[in-house]
Amino acid sequence: QVQLVESGGGQVQPGGSLTLSCSASGHIDTLYCMAWFRQAPGKEREAVARANSDGVATYTQEMGDRATISRERNKNTAYLTMNGLKPEDAAIYYCAADPVLCFGTWEYSLWGQGIQVDVSS
């Protein structure tokens, strides 16, 4: 059974930076796609960024150029570096992945439990 585990969350001051990590464990070959989503209280889950195993990435307008997704080559590990954090970025951030699908859909088969990010002074 494949599991995705997020780490690196916590509290950061407005304007600060944070890097989240997502690691996959279990018997699986290279995950073609790894992505990040977030869900703030009272809001629907929204996509933030995704990257395939070649490092090709796309971003939504939710964080725009304040977010950077990266992947370790040949490892099922992804990172989300967030800069210029705002209070409205506070949310539970989820890692998602899929062995086959990436672009053209945000419906992925594997999901982490999520990790809290708070932005406050």
Side-chain angles (χ1 to χ4, degrees):
Q1 184 175 358
V2 178
Q3 287 187 319
L4 299 179
V5 179
E6 302 97 338
S7 61
Q11 184 174 353
V12 62
Q13 292 187 344
S17 300
L18 199 65
T19 296
L20 305 179
S21 301
C22 174
S23 295
S25 62
H27 184 67
I28 190 168
D29 292 328
T30 301
L31 288 166
Y32 178 58
C33 191
M34 298 187 78
W36 288 96
F37 293 73
R38 68 183 186 181
Q39 186 168 20
K43 294 188 176 182
E44 293 187 354
R45 187 177 63 196
E46 56 191 22
V48 176
R50 60 191 168 191
N52 68 8
S53 53
D54 293 321
V56 177
T58 64
Y59 300 86
T60 66
Q61 63 182 8
E62 304 307 329
M63 296 195 72
D65 59 4
R66 296 187 297 117
T68 302
I69 187 171
S70 58
R71 293 189 59 175
E72 286 193 53
R73 185 172 291 276
N74 298 324
K75 290 185 179 181
N76 291 324
T77 302
Y79 305 94
L80 182 70
T81 299
M82 302 178 288
N83 299 308
L85 284 163
K86 306 174 183 179
E88 52 264 41
D89 293 319
I92 297 175
Y93 283 71
Y94 296 90
C95 177
D98 200 282
V100 177
L101 302 175
C102 199
F103 307 115
T105 181
W106 288 101
E107 300 292 329
Y108 302 125
S109 59
L110 301 170
W111 288 86
Q113 294 292 319
I115 193 164
Q116 183 71 47
V117 172
D118 292 318
V119 184
S120 64
S121 54

